[in-house]
Amino acid sequence: MPERIAFVSKVSFMASPASAGDREKVVSKLPGWLRQDLKVRTAQLGIEIQAAVTQGITDWCSLAATPTAVDTSGADSFSTWLPPGQWDTFKTTAADRKISLTQGLAQAVQLWLQKNPAPTVQRPENPRRIIVCNQKGGVGKTAITAGAGEAMAEDANALHPVRISKHFAAALLKNNDSESGGADAAPFAIEDLPGLGLRVLLVDFDPQCHLTQQLDHAPLPMDGDSLTKHMAGEPGGKLRDLIVPIEDDRFGDRLHLLPSCNDAFLLDVKLAGVRAREAALERALAPVESDFDVILVDCPPSLGLSMDAAAYYGRRRENEPAGSSGALIVVQAEDSSADAYALLTTQIEDLRADLSLDIDYLGIVVNHYDARRGYIATSSLAAWMDIRDPRVVGVIGDLKEQKEAVRVKQPLLAYAPKSDQAVGMRALAREIS
């Protein structure tokens, strides 16, 4: 740590010959709200805090008049690196304007924020459609559907911890020799990043209604309207009226759910008599698509007609970029998942060939991973990683937070936003966004 060599008012000046670009370290004070706004905005724009403060001070010193005062009550320690000589110029300007250095710095940061507004959320031209699937039950399709959707809907004007590693699965395997094991034992970088801020619809397409119940909603009544009835050409009203919000501050009004109904157990039978039955899900959801940026479909553990309809819905449409929509396959690090994966991909390939469709694979998610289960788990993960198309896009640990969130019927990212599973869901959302 370089030696502190001077104090001025509430600001101290520190020099470090080892700092990058021969910058000088300044320790000052900023109110917490302003420091947080600066942290969020620089993350949104992808620039360093020191660059923002440098530009803010430059612009502030060039002003012809002093800006409106900023409330600096409760200001706390704040440090950054400035180019040599800039702090002396700033001190002189603050003295000329007869304001404290803390007030001057707050005005400079506020000025930079005003000149650099938050970017608008980049919304797809057409809604992306992600079908979360595997004909094997119990692999955690529902958890992945909910977690990825929640991560996509988080506030873009707030920071959330995200696991950063382009080679997470490979690094995880190398870490399997650690004493604790498990997905949360790996020393991966965690970075605070802005939320994606997308408008998300979670579609519970499973007659077991797990997604609906886990998010604290009741299944739709058998004698009422449902997605099944809309797909069968027997709607009892508007599909939009069935959609409910997932209410939590971190999601704002961006996260919604289309609940399931137990009548979905009869869907394959009903679809057998429907014309162009493979397009039934698309026809049903078409009226609400424009309300959302991303639609995630929690598919049933089935290889029947309902899965055909889901795969068709996730196909690449005309003029849609490759990899925007498609199938996200959830597996576990064990042998039976491999058998189910083969059956599922065979069905998708048959549908591709029969109807001349482009159905993209968005990737494989290895769920419920725990290296402490030994060779079966680690060797299975290695086998999944050997698949290049689709590639592994996420590994989610088998940890207690997801089970607890289900028990209390709360979204995982609201119940345990800093848990290893939550930071992994955010990484997954970015991998497939």
Side-chain angles (χ1 to χ4, degrees):
M1 177 69 68
E3 181 181 357
R4 182 175 297 174
I5 59 175
F7 293 89
V8 181
S9 182
K10 293 184 179 180
V11 181
S12 63
F13 172 81
M14 305 177 76
S16 174
S19 63
D22 295 325
R23 284 177 171 257
E24 299 168 332
K25 187 175 184 181
V26 173
V27 179
S28 181
K29 288 189 175 182
L30 274 180
W33 64 269
L34 188 57
R35 186 167 58 248
Q36 182 65 16
D37 286 352
L38 176 63
K39 185 178 180 182
V40 171
R41 189 68 52 79
T42 52
Q44 290 173 325
L45 298 175
I47 66 174
E48 294 183 344
I49 289 178
Q50 66 182 23
V53 177
T54 296
Q55 187 60 53
I57 289 177
T58 298
D59 293 343
W60 182 82
C61 290
S62 300
L63 292 174
T66 304
T68 303
V70 176
D71 182 3
T72 59
S73 58
D76 202 357
S77 179
F78 171 80
S79 63
T80 190
W81 296 90
L82 300 177
Q86 187 181 49
W87 191 245
D88 289 333
T89 301
F90 174 75
K91 290 190 293 183
T92 299
T93 305
D96 291 343
R97 294 175 179 173
K98 295 181 173 55
I99 61 173
S100 70
L101 298 179
T102 299
Q103 176 63 216
L105 184 59
Q107 291 180 11
V109 170
Q110 184 77 294
L111 179 63
W112 182 85
L113 289 169
Q114 292 169 352
K115 288 191 170 186
N116 295 271
T120 56
V121 173
Q122 296 299 309
R123 305 193 183 282
E125 186 174 343
N126 297 299
R128 301 179 58 219
R129 302 162 317 285
I130 300 173
I131 60 168
V132 184
C133 51
N134 192 331
Q135 66 94 18
K136 182 180 185 298
V139 296
K141 294 185 294 295
T142 297
I144 298 302
T145 302
E150 291 162 21
M152 291 177 178
E154 281 187 311
D155 189 356
N157 292 309
L159 298 181
H160 314 275
V162 183
R163 185 169 59 213
I164 303 300
S165 174
K166 292 185 178 299
H167 305 288
F168 172 72
L172 183 59
L173 282 176
K174 291 179 181 178
N175 192 61
N176 285 336
D177 292 333
S178 67
E179 291 184 3
S180 59
D184 59 338
F188 302 109
I190 304 295
E191 184 174 346
D192 287 336
L193 296 176
L196 297 176
L198 298 173
R199 300 168 302 175
V200 177
L201 175 63
L202 306 176
V203 177
D204 192 349
F205 195 42
D206 188 339
Q208 299 172 93
C209 307
H210 291 321
L211 179 61
T212 299
Q213 293 169 333
Q214 287 181 19
L215 294 176
D216 200 23
H217 284 275
L220 296 171
M222 290 283 287
D223 58 353
D225 200 12
S226 68
L227 177 59
T228 298
K229 291 184 174 64
H230 281 259
M231 291 179 65
E234 305 165 353
K238 293 182 178 180
L239 188 77
R240 180 175 282 104
D241 294 338
L242 302 178
I243 295 174
V244 294
I246 304 302
E247 297 179 349
D248 190 278
D249 289 343
R250 71 175 47 245
F251 309 126
D253 60 353
R254 295 175 299 275
L255 185 62
H256 291 77
L257 168 71
L258 176 55
S260 185
C261 176
N262 293 134
D263 68 357
F265 280 114
L266 305 174
L267 181 58
D268 279 8
V269 175
K270 288 181 174 291
L271 287 180
V274 173
R275 186 176 180 181
R277 55 179 176 256
E278 68 280 351
L281 181 59
E282 181 167 297
R283 289 194 298 268
L285 293 176
V288 302
E289 281 189 352
S290 61
D291 296 339
F292 302 98
D293 301 312
V294 186
I295 298 174
L296 292 100
V297 180
D298 182 21
C299 295
S302 165
L303 293 177
L305 298 178
S306 55
M307 188 60 221
D308 280 348
Y312 184 88
Y313 185 62
R315 80 192 187 287
R316 190 194 317 162
R317 295 177 181 173
E318 186 177 359
N319 298 324
E320 186 175 21
S324 178
S325 298
L328 183 66
I329 303 175
V330 183
V331 301
Q332 288 181 307
E334 41 87 74
D335 294 340
S336 61
S337 276
D339 297 335
Y341 170 82
L343 291 171
L344 174 65
T345 53
T346 296
Q347 179 175 6
I348 291 176
E349 293 304 319
D350 288 345
L351 198 63
R352 270 176 160 179
D354 292 345
L355 300 178
S356 299
L357 305 178
D358 290 319
I359 302 175
D360 296 328
Y361 292 109
L362 302 183
I364 297 171
V365 181
V366 182
N367 196 27
H368 297 161
Y369 180 73
D370 189 343
R372 292 171 295 185
R373 292 177 181 149
Y375 175 74
I376 294 295
T378 58
S379 62
S380 293
L381 177 58
W384 289 120
M385 288 170 52
D386 286 340
I387 300 174
R388 293 292 179 261
D389 184 18
R391 64 186 179 89
V392 172
V393 292
V395 181
I396 306 298
D398 187 14
L399 303 171
K400 63 183 179 65
E401 286 82 5
Q402 176 65 51
K403 299 179 180 68
E404 291 172 350
V406 171
R407 173 65 65 86
V408 298
K409 296 186 177 182
Q410 290 185 23
L412 170 66
L413 273 66
Y415 174 76
K418 296 183 179 180
S419 66
D420 181 77
Q421 288 167 317
V423 299
M425 292 293 186
R426 296 188 186 101
L428 170 62
R430 282 165 169 77
E431 279 290 323
I432 61 176
S433 292

